[in-house]
Amino acid sequence: MISIRGVKHSIQGKPILQDINLDLPRGGVTALIGPNGAGKSTLLSLIARLQPLGTGTIRVDALQIGSCSDAALARVLAIMPQSAQISARLRVGEAVMMGRYPWHRGRPGKRDGEIVEETLRLFSLTSLADRFLDEISGGQRQRAMVAMAYAQETDYLLLDEPLNNLDIAASRHLMRLLRQMADTGRKSIVIVLHDINYAAAFADRVVVMREGRIVADGAPGAVITPALMADVFETDAKVHLVDDRPVVLV
Amino acid sequence: MRLWLGLVGVLLLAVISLFIGVIPLSPRDVFTDPEATRLMLTSRLPRTLAALLAGAALAITGQIMQVLARNRFVEPMTAGAGQSAALGVLLATLLIPGAPVWIKMCLAAATTLAGSVGLLVLIRPLPPTQPLLVPLVALIYGGLIGAAVNFVAYQGDMMQYLQVWLTGELSGVLKGRYELLWIAGVAAAATWFIAGRITLLNLGDDVARSLGINVRNVTAAGLLAVSVVTAMVVVTLGAIPFVGLVVPNLVSRRMGDNLPRTLPFTALIGAGLVLAADICGRTIRAPFEVPVAAVIGVVGAVLFLILLYREPRHG
Amino acid sequence: MDRRLALLCGLLALSCVAFMLLGAVGSWEFLLQFRLRRLAALLLVGICLSTATVLFQTIAGNRILTPSLIGFDALYILILTAMVQVLGLAGFAAIPAPVIFAINLAAMTALGMLLFGVLMFGAKGDMIKLVLTGIVAGILIRSLTEFLQRMIDPSEFQMIQAASFARFTHVDTGLLVLTAAASLPALALTWRVRFRLDVLALGSELATGLGENPQRGRKQVLALICVLVASATALAGPSGLFGLIVTALAYLVAPGTRHAVTLPTAALVGCIVLVAGQTVMERVLDLSTPLPVVVELLGGLVFLFLVLKRHIR
């Protein structure tokens, strides 16, 4: 379980997060949504110790963020940062193998190779394994980045706006993969999403943030309502139910 | 008003410069002691005038180069023109050792012009979205020509000569050895007549053309002034970096880019800067001298970095 | 083993043989010893500089920066000058060479980290601003050195100048042993952490995600770079754009960025450029220009080419 207690964060005196308390139990897909500047990405990067934590505590299972070793956390939790850009020239296969680093620490074994093979197959990347990351399309690169985080074989997988730059087919493909990982692979997935409809369609739980606070939390059907749209997103969009899932009409 | 204040400041510096040196000199001596008068006329006065002329001319041509390159971080001395001037003199000395001085000067001016044109050709196609790319390319381009100068110097066994001669310093300035700087001064002053037209180039070639400016001619005249000034300064004093970069930036920050109005200030501050640096270099470790280029190199690089980080991201 | 690496090894062996044998006249025994010492120095410098450049490009996250472009080697001479300035010539001469080297190394590491920190913090990911700042910082360090050197008596100034522009013509055995003792452990350590370097090259966020602390990693790598650059500078003087040429060539030969491949490739290329270059310049073309000047010339061209290729379509 990821448990967040009393987390505050400010950047150059400007408060970004205020008094966040949140428990994310094992399993399922949790989506963080909210308007721009709500602090979703900051919260995610604090959990993944990409930024130093100021006030409050965050625990991932038995590990306390800030005091546990980076290497130990890397075996429990993987993150795909927003618009992750790799300046090094890596092949897709090499990049996915990088995801194995927390386990092999630079000495990849036979099992690491097998897991990379399997991951490439799962993400339909096998045919691209020998291509350089800067030679493939944006959608394929995004998929490779998710594959890299997946290959890390952690219980928790954090993704920051993974649907950026993806077309509808690639977006749905990726979300289905994540759904499948949560259902059959027993992973806990926390994902920052821009598009509420993707959150409504694929998440088990939606956490809504505004101006650095959590303002709503629950199943998509209960949380995503016209009232929320008006209140948090300040727009009068209609919300319909399709197959028992809310759909925001734009 | 501000112009007068600046003028008084520079005059004050000039007076200080006249009376500082290895041999102590008092104002009264100059009129009573013939030896002192001679010292004043053959050494102190020429040295002070050289610093003023070089500083003013370098600052003005730096400003003009920045308009021509459409970039605030470019300066002839470090961007290939200075190195090209050195290459010209070096080649002239090696190939036609017996030629009179004025032929060598003309050759130096010609190679400087070629070097400046080369720079413009190189940086014009660079995307305007990346303003810092221009000074980067310009610095490397300057370094490249500098390396070529070193190569020629080694092959011609002139390295010792080159090192002494390329570092900008004023200790060798005597009556009869600095007069070429007057040409630089005149060339820089002449740009005042095209200053208005150069200002319009700032608006872009198309706008300038539609306002009836002959862009080609104005650019050519500007480049000619830049080349003459750079060549003369390099030949007489050596390379003095950063004056043409820092001064125009400071002036433009305060007073904008209307050159007919700002150029007098640019000239004054440039003259004051070089003279102050020379006074500092003369006094800090007397009786030894620190070359003016070393003083300005340190001060100028620091100022450059400050400008780089204070300037919001546009050229 | 990779075919390309084998080819490079062959080329290097050929260069070494040519260097040892071409134009050999006089007492064979003396010549052998003399040239062997020079060859050892060339190889050591070649490996140190190329490794330092690869490391630097990894932590800076870009391929046109080199340690000497931002003035790391000038830093070495600046500290040397400052030591003469503070201690005086007599005091300076009284200190044994290993102590001087150690003091210089410590000061250089501290200053280098400061410089690099300011660079990375100031530029905030703007690559061109980073490079421009680096170059101007390099000019500043060189001007400061020149300034300090002029503050010293002309005779002392001459001595520093002799020390700072040491070339490969005369190699002092003591210095060779000293620099080898400093740099070989650093090289071994670099090789040991080659996979960690791959992770660091991914950038801060991804490296953190994989359990590598990028700040700590950068500091350690920076310390390695300082040892390597100081050793090379002590042996051969400032290196200019040498590292840039070498890495550009190395990436041409082996396009990936796995350090297990890049490090040996760059080291081999560096040694070939130095040994073959020195042989050709000295024995074949009979040029009086020292190699660094030609390297500077070619390096400038490579740099311009790299920048323009990327930005002009």
Side-chain angles (χ1 to χ4, degrees):
Chain A
M1 184 164 85
I2 299 176
S3 65
I4 302 165
R5 288 287 169 275
V7 165
K8 281 183 198 154
H9 190 74
S10 48
I11 295 171
Q12 289 169 350
K14 221 178 96 197
I16 305 293
L17 292 176
Q18 304 176 33
D19 228 2
I20 300 284
N21 290 295
L22 187 65
D23 279 328
L24 301 168
R26 283 293 314 271
V29 176
T30 306
L32 289 176
I33 61 172
N36 290 334
K40 302 160 290 184
S41 292
T42 308
L43 182 58
L44 206 70
S45 59
L46 285 178
I47 299 173
R49 46 83 176 92
L50 298 187
Q51 296 183 41
L53 179 61
T55 323
T57 55
I58 299 176
R59 299 181 73 90
V60 178
D61 291 346
L63 300 170
Q64 174 140 8
I65 301 300
S67 59
C68 71
S69 87
D70 281 345
L73 189 66
R75 294 181 177 196
V76 177
L77 178 145
I79 172 133
M80 190 200 115
Q82 189 173 5
S83 60
Q85 285 239 332
I86 297 184
S87 59
R89 268 198 110 205
L90 286 178
R91 295 180 177 84
V92 173
E94 288 169 352
V96 176
M97 183 56 102
M98 286 297 209
R100 296 299 303 157
Y101 181 80
W103 301 94
H104 65 60
R105 303 296 292 173
R107 304 268 180 285
K110 198 163 150 254
R111 187 165 148 61
D112 294 304
E114 288 166 9
I115 292 171
V116 169
E117 289 278 304
E118 192 192 308
T119 308
L120 288 171
R121 200 168 48 247
L122 188 64
F123 284 82
S124 334
L125 287 168
T126 309
S127 59
L128 297 174
D130 284 329
R131 300 274 294 277
F132 280 109
L133 283 175
D134 53 6
E135 289 171 349
I136 56 181
S137 77
Q140 290 165 336
R141 194 156 46 235
Q142 197 84 332
R143 213 156 69 217
M145 298 307 298
V146 181
M148 179 177 157
Y150 176 80
Q152 213 170 321
E153 279 203 317
T154 53
D155 290 341
Y156 298 93
L157 181 56
L158 274 47
L159 303 111
D160 196 350
E161 304 214 2
L163 303 186
N164 270 358
N165 308 322
L166 294 192
D167 60 21
I168 182 165
S171 297
R172 293 188 65 224
H173 179 74
L174 182 59
M175 287 311 289
R176 266 206 227 128
L177 261 175
L178 293 176
R179 187 68 254 171
Q180 186 190 334
M181 287 173 205
D183 293 343
T184 59
R186 304 207 35 75
K187 271 187 192 297
S188 320
I189 293 172
V190 184
I191 181 169
V192 170
L193 282 177
H194 210 71
D195 189 326
I196 302 171
N197 282 333
Y198 279 99
F202 291 98
D204 303 308
R205 178 179 172 194
V206 178
V207 176
V208 188
M209 296 181 67
R210 190 185 63 178
E211 289 169 6
R213 295 176 192 279
I214 292 172
V215 291
D217 182 358
V223 170
I224 300 171
T225 58
L228 179 96
M229 294 312 295
D231 203 33
V232 176
F233 292 89
E234 292 170 7
T235 176
D236 58 352
K238 287 180 184 158
V239 179
H240 284 222
L241 277 184
V242 178
D243 296 343
D244 292 336
R245 293 236 173 210
V247 174
V248 178
L249 298 182
V250 289
Chain B
M1 177 59 208
R2 272 193 289 187
L3 197 60
W4 290 113
L5 221 66
L7 213 54
V8 169
V10 171
L11 273 178
L12 209 67
L13 279 175
V15 172
I16 295 174
S17 162
L18 286 179
F19 293 99
I20 279 181
V22 180
I23 302 170
L25 211 61
S26 80
R28 218 164 55 125
D29 293 345
V30 179
F31 297 103
T32 55
D33 183 355
E35 191 57 26
T37 318
R38 207 185 56 81
L39 178 70
M40 177 59 76
L41 289 182
T42 54
S43 166
R44 297 284 168 80
L45 188 65
R47 181 169 191 161
T48 306
L49 284 175
L52 292 173
L53 283 170
L58 286 176
I60 289 177
T61 47
Q63 172 70 72
I64 287 168
M65 189 71 182
Q66 282 157 31
V67 176
L68 297 181
R70 311 276 188 275
N71 192 295
R72 277 197 198 293
F73 291 121
V74 178
E75 173 241 349
M77 201 56 84
T78 46
Q83 292 86 347
S84 303
L87 191 62
V89 187
L90 198 58
L91 286 176
T93 315
L94 282 174
L95 300 179
I96 37 172
V101 174
W102 66 269
I103 289 193
K104 291 182 187 170
M105 295 303 143
C106 288
L107 197 69
T111 50
T112 313
L113 190 60
S116 315
V117 171
L119 178 72
L120 287 191
V121 168
L122 208 58
I123 60 178
R124 275 294 165 85
L126 291 173
T129 47
Q130 297 268 33
L132 294 182
L133 203 55
V134 173
L136 182 61
V137 169
L139 276 174
I140 297 295
Y141 174 75
L144 189 63
I145 301 178
V149 171
N150 276 343
F151 182 79
V152 174
Y154 267 111
Q155 288 308 106
D157 204 14
M158 305 258 299
M159 203 54 202
Q160 291 254 302
Y161 165 73
L162 187 77
Q163 264 177 355
V164 173
W165 166 81
L166 253 195
T167 315
E169 62 182 326
L170 292 160
S171 57
V173 173
L174 290 173
K175 187 166 182 290
R177 284 211 214 146
Y178 84 104
E179 280 72 6
L180 281 167
L181 286 177
W182 286 105
I183 301 179
V186 170
T191 58
W192 195 74
F193 294 102
I194 56 166
R197 274 167 275 179
I198 288 187
T199 304
L200 290 180
L201 284 188
N202 259 331
L203 305 174
D205 285 1
D206 293 340
V207 176
R209 202 167 284 128
S210 70
L211 288 171
I213 306 277
N214 187 331
V215 175
R216 268 184 90 87
N217 286 359
V218 173
T219 306
L223 272 184
L224 195 65
V226 168
S227 306
V228 169
V229 168
T230 311
M232 296 308 141
V233 172
V234 169
V235 166
T236 20
L237 305 178
I240 304 177
F242 289 124
V243 177
L245 183 114
V246 173
V247 176
N249 271 292
L250 292 174
V251 171
S252 153
R253 185 181 291 280
R254 272 294 164 103
M255 314 186 50
D257 282 327
N258 184 12
L259 295 195
R261 208 169 81 80
T262 58
L263 275 188
F265 287 94
T266 311
L268 258 185
I269 296 176
L273 178 65
V274 172
L275 191 56
D278 184 46
I279 293 173
C280 171
R282 264 188 279 171
T283 46
I284 195 164
R285 184 78 167 101
F288 301 118
E289 288 200 9
V290 179
V292 69
V295 178
I296 291 194
V298 173
V299 178
V302 171
L303 283 176
F304 184 113
L305 289 177
I306 293 174
L307 287 172
L308 184 64
Y309 282 90
R310 278 185 46 186
E311 187 89 355
R313 286 203 49 196
H314 56 69
Chain C
M1 180 145 160
D2 198 290
R3 242 205 348 250
R4 289 177 201 156
L5 281 183
L7 193 71
L8 286 178
C9 283
L11 267 176
L12 179 59
L14 214 65
S15 321
C16 288
V17 170
F19 180 84
M20 291 301 293
L21 298 184
L22 273 186
V25 281
S27 158
W28 178 238
E29 221 163 294
F30 168 76
L31 202 70
L32 189 72
Q33 229 195 8
F34 179 69
R35 285 197 177 172
L36 259 183
R37 211 161 50 211
R38 286 186 61 201
L39 182 65
L42 282 173
L43 292 178
L44 193 63
V45 169
I47 298 175
C48 284
L49 284 179
S50 14
T51 307
T53 309
V54 170
L55 290 177
F56 196 77
Q57 294 181 347
T58 295
I59 55 170
N62 94 51
R63 281 199 196 168
I64 51 178
L65 268 186
T66 70
S68 45
L69 201 61
I70 77 165
F72 264 50
D73 50 2
L75 213 50
Y76 179 88
I77 295 165
L78 177 65
I79 295 166
L80 209 65
T81 314
M83 279 163 81
V84 177
Q85 169 89 353
V86 173
L87 300 171
L89 193 58
F92 183 78
I95 303 175
V99 178
I100 290 183
F101 188 73
I103 295 175
N104 200 336
L105 201 58
M108 186 176 158
T109 312
L111 281 177
M113 282 195 187
L114 192 73
L115 178 64
F116 188 79
V118 170
L119 260 183
M120 290 321 250
F121 178 77
K124 291 200 175 73
D126 182 342
M127 204 264 278
I128 293 169
K129 196 170 188 175
L130 174 81
V131 178
L132 191 61
T133 312
I135 291 180
V136 178
I139 295 178
L140 176 62
I141 292 172
R142 280 181 203 103
S143 305
L144 214 55
T145 310
E146 159 123 23
F147 187 87
L148 267 188
Q149 286 179 342
R150 296 302 180 116
M151 299 282 289
I152 299 170
D153 271 312
S155 62
E156 298 179 11
F157 171 63
Q158 290 250 310
M159 199 196 85
I160 300 173
Q161 205 157 33
S164 38
F165 297 105
R167 292 187 218 135
F168 292 112
T169 33
H170 295 288
V171 176
D172 180 59
T173 313
L175 198 61
L176 187 61
V177 171
L178 183 64
T179 47
S183 58
L184 289 180
L187 289 170
L189 204 60
T190 307
W191 181 247
R192 249 183 75 94
V193 300
R194 58 194 184 279
F195 293 106
R196 268 183 72 198
L197 292 169
D198 288 344
V199 176
L200 287 176
L202 294 175
S204 306
E205 292 194 327
L206 286 171
T208 310
L210 292 173
E212 274 301 333
N213 186 330
Q215 258 112 30
R216 202 179 49 210
R218 272 198 201 130
K219 272 186 205 139
Q220 290 165 348
V221 172
L222 216 50
L224 285 178
I225 292 171
C226 286
V227 174
L228 294 174
V229 173
S231 304
T233 313
L235 267 184
S239 54
L241 298 174
F242 172 78
L244 189 73
I245 301 184
V246 170
T247 47
L249 284 175
Y251 287 130
L252 217 60
V253 177
T257 41
R258 278 172 50 227
H259 286 81
V261 178
T262 311
L263 284 171
T265 311
L268 282 171
V269 171
C271 290
I272 293 170
V273 169
L274 270 189
V275 177
Q278 194 73 29
T279 311
V280 169
M281 300 268 307
E282 226 179 82
R283 316 260 165 72
V284 180
L285 296 179
D286 204 19
L287 293 179
S288 49
T289 309
L291 186 59
V293 175
V294 178
V295 162
E296 201 69 16
L297 206 61
L298 295 177
L301 284 175
V302 169
F303 190 95
L304 275 187
F305 173 75
L306 285 178
V307 171
L308 296 179
K309 185 185 79 169
R310 177 181 282 206
H311 291 281
I312 297 180
R313 312 255 162 231

